PDB file of all heavy atoms in Angstrom:
ATOM      1  N   ALA K 211     -24.663  31.184 -18.802  1.00  0.00           N
ATOM      2  CA  ALA K 211     -25.969  30.760 -19.297  1.00  0.00           C
ATOM      3  C   ALA K 211     -27.068  31.064 -18.289  1.00  0.00           C
ATOM      4  O   ALA K 211     -28.179  31.484 -18.648  1.00  0.00           O
ATOM      5  CB  ALA K 211     -25.948  29.266 -19.618  1.00  0.00           C
ATOM      6  N   ARG K 212     -26.765  30.865 -17.016  1.00  0.00           N
ATOM      7  CA  ARG K 212     -27.744  31.168 -15.960  1.00  0.00           C
ATOM      8  C   ARG K 212     -28.110  32.658 -15.988  1.00  0.00           C
ATOM      9  O   ARG K 212     -29.283  33.015 -15.892  1.00  0.00           O
ATOM     10  CB  ARG K 212     -27.177  30.793 -14.595  1.00  0.00           C
ATOM     11  CG  ARG K 212     -28.131  31.051 -13.425  1.00  0.00           C
ATOM     12  CD  ARG K 212     -27.429  30.799 -12.101  1.00  0.00           C
ATOM     13  NE  ARG K 212     -27.118  29.403 -11.907  1.00  0.00           N
ATOM     14  CZ  ARG K 212     -27.927  28.532 -11.305  1.00  0.00           C
ATOM     15  NH1 ARG K 212     -29.098  28.936 -10.828  1.00  0.00           N
ATOM     16  NH2 ARG K 212     -27.561  27.272 -11.161  1.00  0.00           N
ATOM     17  N   ARG K 213     -27.097  33.515 -16.138  1.00  0.00           N
ATOM     18  CA  ARG K 213     -27.367  34.953 -16.191  1.00  0.00           C
ATOM     19  C   ARG K 213     -28.159  35.329 -17.441  1.00  0.00           C
ATOM     20  O   ARG K 213     -29.070  36.160 -17.388  1.00  0.00           O
ATOM     21  CB  ARG K 213     -26.054  35.736 -16.138  1.00  0.00           C
ATOM     22  CG  ARG K 213     -25.333  35.642 -14.801  1.00  0.00           C
ATOM     23  CD  ARG K 213     -24.214  36.673 -14.712  1.00  0.00           C
ATOM     24  NE  ARG K 213     -23.168  36.445 -15.714  1.00  0.00           N
ATOM     25  CZ  ARG K 213     -22.101  35.688 -15.504  1.00  0.00           C
ATOM     26  NH1 ARG K 213     -21.944  35.075 -14.343  1.00  0.00           N
ATOM     27  NH2 ARG K 213     -21.186  35.541 -16.449  1.00  0.00           N
ATOM     28  N   THR K 214     -27.813  34.728 -18.560  1.00  0.00           N
ATOM     29  CA  THR K 214     -28.498  35.043 -19.814  1.00  0.00           C
ATOM     30  C   THR K 214     -29.968  34.644 -19.765  1.00  0.00           C
ATOM     31  O   THR K 214     -30.850  35.389 -20.214  1.00  0.00           O
ATOM     32  CB  THR K 214     -27.811  34.329 -20.994  1.00  0.00           C
ATOM     33  OG1 THR K 214     -26.457  34.782 -21.102  1.00  0.00           O
ATOM     34  CG2 THR K 214     -28.531  34.606 -22.310  1.00  0.00           C
ATOM     35  N   ALA K 215     -30.264  33.470 -19.212  1.00  0.00           N
ATOM     36  CA  ALA K 215     -31.648  32.985 -19.152  1.00  0.00           C
ATOM     37  C   ALA K 215     -32.478  33.735 -18.125  1.00  0.00           C
ATOM     38  O   ALA K 215     -33.709  33.847 -18.266  1.00  0.00           O
ATOM     39  CB  ALA K 215     -31.658  31.486 -18.848  1.00  0.00           C
ATOM     40  N   GLY K 216     -31.853  34.234 -17.077  1.00  0.00           N
ATOM     41  CA  GLY K 216     -32.572  35.007 -16.074  1.00  0.00           C
ATOM     42  C   GLY K 216     -33.673  34.203 -15.400  1.00  0.00           C
ATOM     43  O   GLY K 216     -33.488  33.040 -15.029  1.00  0.00           O
ATOM     44  N   ALA K 217     -34.849  34.818 -15.267  1.00  0.00           N
ATOM     45  CA  ALA K 217     -35.970  34.174 -14.574  1.00  0.00           C
ATOM     46  C   ALA K 217     -36.475  32.945 -15.307  1.00  0.00           C
ATOM     47  O   ALA K 217     -37.168  32.108 -14.718  1.00  0.00           O
ATOM     48  CB  ALA K 217     -37.103  35.174 -14.384  1.00  0.00           C
ATOM     49  N   ALA K 218     -36.153  32.816 -16.595  1.00  0.00           N
ATOM     50  CA  ALA K 218     -36.603  31.661 -17.383  1.00  0.00           C
ATOM     51  C   ALA K 218     -35.682  30.457 -17.241  1.00  0.00           C
ATOM     52  O   ALA K 218     -35.957  29.394 -17.824  1.00  0.00           O
ATOM     53  CB  ALA K 218     -36.718  32.049 -18.863  1.00  0.00           C
ATOM     54  N   TYR K 219     -34.603  30.593 -16.471  1.00  0.00           N
ATOM     55  CA  TYR K 219     -33.630  29.516 -16.330  1.00  0.00           C
ATOM     56  C   TYR K 219     -34.258  28.302 -15.654  1.00  0.00           C
ATOM     57  O   TYR K 219     -34.920  28.418 -14.620  1.00  0.00           O
ATOM     58  CB  TYR K 219     -32.445  29.997 -15.501  1.00  0.00           C
ATOM     59  CG  TYR K 219     -31.330  29.002 -15.320  1.00  0.00           C
ATOM     60  CD1 TYR K 219     -30.508  28.644 -16.373  1.00  0.00           C
ATOM     61  CD2 TYR K 219     -31.093  28.434 -14.071  1.00  0.00           C
ATOM     62  CE1 TYR K 219     -29.463  27.745 -16.198  1.00  0.00           C
ATOM     63  CE2 TYR K 219     -30.051  27.538 -13.880  1.00  0.00           C
ATOM     64  CZ  TYR K 219     -29.242  27.191 -14.947  1.00  0.00           C
ATOM     65  OH  TYR K 219     -28.214  26.300 -14.771  1.00  0.00           O
ATOM     66  N   GLY K 220     -34.041  27.120 -16.251  1.00  0.00           N
ATOM     67  CA  GLY K 220     -34.593  25.888 -15.705  1.00  0.00           C
ATOM     68  C   GLY K 220     -33.553  24.881 -15.288  1.00  0.00           C
ATOM     69  O   GLY K 220     -33.881  23.738 -14.961  1.00  0.00           O
ATOM     70  N   GLY K 221     -32.278  25.282 -15.283  1.00  0.00           N
ATOM     71  CA  GLY K 221     -31.203  24.367 -14.930  1.00  0.00           C
ATOM     72  C   GLY K 221     -30.358  24.022 -16.141  1.00  0.00           C
ATOM     73  O   GLY K 221     -30.672  24.405 -17.276  1.00  0.00           O
ATOM     74  N   ALA K 234     -31.842  24.398 -19.864  1.00  0.00           N
ATOM     75  CA  ALA K 234     -33.299  24.342 -19.864  1.00  0.00           C
ATOM     76  C   ALA K 234     -33.855  25.736 -19.612  1.00  0.00           C
ATOM     77  O   ALA K 234     -33.362  26.462 -18.740  1.00  0.00           O
ATOM     78  CB  ALA K 234     -33.792  23.377 -18.793  1.00  0.00           C
ATOM     79  N   VAL K 235     -34.870  26.126 -20.396  1.00  0.00           N
ATOM     80  CA  VAL K 235     -35.547  27.406 -20.191  1.00  0.00           C
ATOM     81  C   VAL K 235     -37.053  27.176 -20.241  1.00  0.00           C
ATOM     82  O   VAL K 235     -37.539  26.252 -20.901  1.00  0.00           O
ATOM     83  CB  VAL K 235     -35.146  28.456 -21.255  1.00  0.00           C
ATOM     84  CG1 VAL K 235     -33.669  28.796 -21.156  1.00  0.00           C
ATOM     85  CG2 VAL K 235     -35.497  27.978 -22.660  1.00  0.00           C
ATOM     86  N   THR K 236     -37.800  28.020 -19.546  1.00  0.00           N
ATOM     87  CA  THR K 236     -39.262  27.947 -19.587  1.00  0.00           C
ATOM     88  C   THR K 236     -39.767  28.647 -20.848  1.00  0.00           C
ATOM     89  O   THR K 236     -39.021  29.391 -21.505  1.00  0.00           O
ATOM     90  CB  THR K 236     -39.859  28.616 -18.341  1.00  0.00           C
ATOM     91  OG1 THR K 236     -39.445  29.988 -18.305  1.00  0.00           O
ATOM     92  CG2 THR K 236     -39.385  27.911 -17.071  1.00  0.00           C
ATOM     93  N   PRO K 237     -41.040  28.446 -21.196  1.00  0.00           N
ATOM     94  CA  PRO K 237     -41.585  29.077 -22.407  1.00  0.00           C
ATOM     95  C   PRO K 237     -41.485  30.602 -22.385  1.00  0.00           C
ATOM     96  O   PRO K 237     -41.573  31.235 -23.450  1.00  0.00           O
ATOM     97  CB  PRO K 237     -43.048  28.615 -22.408  1.00  0.00           C
ATOM     98  CG  PRO K 237     -43.028  27.310 -21.672  1.00  0.00           C
ATOM     99  CD  PRO K 237     -42.002  27.499 -20.604  1.00  0.00           C
ATOM    100  N   GLU K 238     -41.302  31.193 -21.205  1.00  0.00           N
ATOM    101  CA  GLU K 238     -41.203  32.648 -21.118  1.00  0.00           C
ATOM    102  C   GLU K 238     -39.913  33.190 -21.723  1.00  0.00           C
ATOM    103  O   GLU K 238     -39.798  34.398 -21.979  1.00  0.00           O
ATOM    104  CB  GLU K 238     -41.294  33.097 -19.653  1.00  0.00           C
ATOM    105  CG  GLU K 238     -42.677  32.951 -19.029  1.00  0.00           C
ATOM    106  CD  GLU K 238     -43.046  31.510 -18.721  1.00  0.00           C
ATOM    107  OE1 GLU K 238     -42.105  30.696 -18.540  1.00  0.00           O
ATOM    108  OE2 GLU K 238     -44.242  31.194 -18.679  1.00  0.00           O
ATOM    109  N   ALA K 239     -38.928  32.340 -21.950  1.00  0.00           N
ATOM    110  CA  ALA K 239     -37.666  32.796 -22.530  1.00  0.00           C
ATOM    111  C   ALA K 239     -37.913  33.334 -23.940  1.00  0.00           C
ATOM    112  O   ALA K 239     -38.528  32.667 -24.777  1.00  0.00           O
ATOM    113  CB  ALA K 239     -36.652  31.662 -22.569  1.00  0.00           C
ATOM    114  N   THR K 243     -33.249  35.420 -26.266  1.00  0.00           N
ATOM    115  CA  THR K 243     -32.534  34.728 -25.191  1.00  0.00           C
ATOM    116  C   THR K 243     -32.076  33.353 -25.646  1.00  0.00           C
ATOM    117  O   THR K 243     -30.930  32.950 -25.426  1.00  0.00           O
ATOM    118  CB  THR K 243     -33.426  34.601 -23.944  1.00  0.00           C
ATOM    119  OG1 THR K 243     -33.710  35.906 -23.440  1.00  0.00           O
ATOM    120  CG2 THR K 243     -32.746  33.778 -22.862  1.00  0.00           C
ATOM    121  N   GLU K 258     -41.251  22.909 -18.610  1.00  0.00           N
ATOM    122  CA  GLU K 258     -42.428  23.507 -17.979  1.00  0.00           C
ATOM    123  C   GLU K 258     -42.082  24.335 -16.753  1.00  0.00           C
ATOM    124  O   GLU K 258     -42.633  25.420 -16.530  1.00  0.00           O
ATOM    125  CB  GLU K 258     -43.408  22.398 -17.591  1.00  0.00           C
ATOM    126  CG  GLU K 258     -44.698  22.916 -16.940  1.00  0.00           C
ATOM    127  CD  GLU K 258     -45.653  21.796 -16.570  1.00  0.00           C
ATOM    128  OE1 GLU K 258     -45.327  20.611 -16.841  1.00  0.00           O
ATOM    129  OE2 GLU K 258     -46.727  22.099 -16.014  1.00  0.00           O
ATOM    130  N   HIS K 259     -41.155  23.823 -15.919  1.00  0.00           N
ATOM    131  CA  HIS K 259     -40.896  24.437 -14.619  1.00  0.00           C
ATOM    132  C   HIS K 259     -39.523  25.109 -14.602  1.00  0.00           C
ATOM    133  O   HIS K 259     -38.528  24.536 -15.048  1.00  0.00           O
ATOM    134  CB  HIS K 259     -40.953  23.396 -13.510  1.00  0.00           C
ATOM    135  CG  HIS K 259     -42.198  22.577 -13.520  1.00  0.00           C
ATOM    136  ND1 HIS K 259     -43.450  23.108 -13.326  1.00  0.00           N
ATOM    137  CD2 HIS K 259     -42.378  21.231 -13.717  1.00  0.00           C
ATOM    138  CE1 HIS K 259     -44.350  22.148 -13.386  1.00  0.00           C
ATOM    139  NE2 HIS K 259     -43.728  21.010 -13.628  1.00  0.00           N
ATOM    140  N   GLY K 260     -39.458  26.316 -14.033  1.00  0.00           N
ATOM    141  CA  GLY K 260     -38.199  27.009 -13.889  1.00  0.00           C
ATOM    142  C   GLY K 260     -37.436  26.561 -12.663  1.00  0.00           C
ATOM    143  O   GLY K 260     -37.980  25.919 -11.752  1.00  0.00           O
ATOM    144  N   ALA K 261     -36.146  26.912 -12.609  1.00  0.00           N
ATOM    145  CA  ALA K 261     -35.301  26.495 -11.495  1.00  0.00           C
ATOM    146  C   ALA K 261     -35.780  27.085 -10.169  1.00  0.00           C
ATOM    147  O   ALA K 261     -35.686  26.429  -9.130  1.00  0.00           O
ATOM    148  CB  ALA K 261     -33.854  26.909 -11.770  1.00  0.00           C
ATOM    149  N   ARG K 262     -36.290  28.304 -10.198  1.00  0.00           N
ATOM    150  CA  ARG K 262     -36.756  28.916  -8.950  1.00  0.00           C
ATOM    151  C   ARG K 262     -37.916  28.125  -8.353  1.00  0.00           C
ATOM    152  O   ARG K 262     -37.971  27.907  -7.138  1.00  0.00           O
ATOM    153  CB  ARG K 262     -37.177  30.368  -9.205  1.00  0.00           C
ATOM    154  CG  ARG K 262     -36.013  31.289  -9.552  1.00  0.00           C
ATOM    155  CD  ARG K 262     -36.492  32.711  -9.821  1.00  0.00           C
ATOM    156  NE  ARG K 262     -35.385  33.581 -10.207  1.00  0.00           N
ATOM    157  CZ  ARG K 262     -35.532  34.848 -10.592  1.00  0.00           C
ATOM    158  NH1 ARG K 262     -36.747  35.389 -10.625  1.00  0.00           N
ATOM    159  NH2 ARG K 262     -34.480  35.571 -10.928  1.00  0.00           N
ATOM    160  N   LEU K 263     -38.853  27.698  -9.186  1.00  0.00           N
ATOM    161  CA  LEU K 263     -39.985  26.908  -8.693  1.00  0.00           C
ATOM    162  C   LEU K 263     -39.508  25.578  -8.130  1.00  0.00           C
ATOM    163  O   LEU K 263     -39.948  25.150  -7.054  1.00  0.00           O
ATOM    164  CB  LEU K 263     -40.988  26.689  -9.824  1.00  0.00           C
ATOM    165  CG  LEU K 263     -42.290  25.931  -9.474  1.00  0.00           C
ATOM    166  CD1 LEU K 263     -43.434  26.416 -10.364  1.00  0.00           C
ATOM    167  CD2 LEU K 263     -42.122  24.417  -9.642  1.00  0.00           C
TER     168      LEU K 263
END
Side-chain angles (χ1 to χ4, degrees):
R212 181 186 292 269
R213 292 192 297 270
T214 299
Y219 182 70
V235 296
T236 60
E238 289 74 25
T243 296
E258 181 180 359
H259 308 297
R262 292 179 182 175
L263 183 150

